[in-house]
């Protein structure tokens, strides 16, 4: 063996460098996955905020119309558009939620 770096040592250093690169790429992938999930949630919240939903009638209360993003009644489906919400609100057995005031968003259309 001469005074230079052996092929074995060169390849060990290369392997360490490649492993470091792989850790960096995997870290970036995790960051992008988190960012993508946050963006998906933001889009879902924005969609819900522009919709309405009906909480079914219970034996002790009437059915309630909520804004899509009202936290008093959580649901990920069954959203109504503006026209459907107006029809629902005109029904005698459906009342607006007193917390999110869904009729406010309906009046501006």
């Amino acid at each position: 063996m001469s005074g230079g770096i052996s092929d074995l040592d060169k390849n060990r250093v290369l392997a360490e460098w490649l492993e470091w690169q792989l850790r960096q790429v995997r870290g970036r992938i995790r960051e992008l996955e988190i960012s993508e999930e946050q963006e998906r949630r933001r889009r879902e919240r924005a969609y819900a905020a522009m919709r309405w939903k009906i909480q079914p009638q219970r034996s002790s209360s009437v059915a309630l119309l909520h804004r899509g993003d009202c936290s008093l009644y959580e649901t990920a489906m069954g959203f109504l558009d503006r026209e459907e919400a107006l029809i629902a609100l005109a029904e005698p057995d459906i009342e607006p939620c007193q917390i999110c005031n869904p009729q406010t968003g309906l009046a501006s259309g």
Side-chain angles (χ1 to χ4, degrees), residues 40 44-45 47-48 51-53 68-70 73-80:
R40 184 191 63 76
E44 285 177 357
R45 284 190 305 271
Y47 176 81
R51 299 293 186 267
W52 291 265
K53 56 191 174 183
D69 58 350
C70 180
Y73 178 61
E74 299 283 338
T75 184
M77 53 200 277
F79 290 107
L80 307 174

Side-chain angles (χ1 to χ4, degrees), residues 25-63:
V25 169
R26 286 184 173 150
R28 182 66 178 137
I29 288 170
R30 281 190 301 275
E31 290 172 3
L32 292 170
E33 287 172 341
I34 290 168
S35 176
E36 195 173 273
E37 178 64 17
Q38 290 171 339
E39 176 61 21
R40 184 191 63 76
R41 288 181 187 160
R42 186 201 61 74
R43 283 192 311 269
E44 285 177 357
R45 284 190 305 271
Y47 176 81
M50 297 172 57
R51 299 293 186 267
W52 291 265
K53 56 191 174 183
I54 296 177
Q55 181 177 359
Q57 181 177 4
R58 303 230 169 109
S59 60
S60 62
S61 64
V62 298

Side-chain angles (χ1 to χ4, degrees), residues 49-52 67 82 85-86 100-109:
M50 297 172 57
R51 299 293 186 267
W52 291 265
R67 293 190 68 84
R82 183 177 184 280
L86 285 167
C100 67
N101 294 318
Q103 65 275 27
T104 303
L106 292 170
S108 65

